[in-house]
Amino acid sequence: MVDPFMDKFGESIVADEDERTLMELLHMLLLTEETRKKYCEYHKDHGHDTDECRLLKSEIEKLIRRD
């Protein structure tokens, strides 16, 4: 699962759990009604459907190319 609060090096971009909770609440408030209806199983988050997930598709393609 991808953590939306990690940078590309795996370092947390939030200082503590209180800040993380606040950012999660702000994220939900900024979502439109339409995007709240969409849910990505890969990210365990709202905003897009699993079948629209570009990161998941990219990860699958990487696995396929490894063979």
Side-chain angles (χ1 to χ4, degrees):
M1 181 178 109
V2 174
D3 188 337
F5 302 108
M6 295 285 189
D7 65 15
K8 65 181 180 179
F9 304 108
E11 300 292 325
S12 179
I13 61 170
V14 294
D16 57 28
E17 285 301 310
D18 289 337
E19 186 178 351
R20 181 185 183 91
T21 302
L22 179 60
M23 289 188 70
E24 288 172 346
L25 289 171
L26 288 172
H27 173 70
M28 287 302 292
L29 288 172
L30 292 172
L31 291 174
T32 65
E33 185 175 334
E34 182 179 326
T35 56
R36 270 188 232 128
K37 293 177 184 176
K38 297 181 177 188
Y39 184 76
C40 178
E41 289 290 331
Y42 182 70
H43 287 105
K44 306 286 188 234
D45 195 10
H46 296 268
H48 61 272
D49 289 323
T50 306
D51 62 342
E52 298 170 345
C53 183
R54 292 182 302 222
L55 184 59
L56 177 58
K57 289 179 183 180
S58 174
E59 292 297 320
I60 292 170
E61 288 172 359
K62 284 181 191 176
L63 289 171
I64 291 170
R65 286 192 297 263
R66 281 187 6 183
D67 288 344

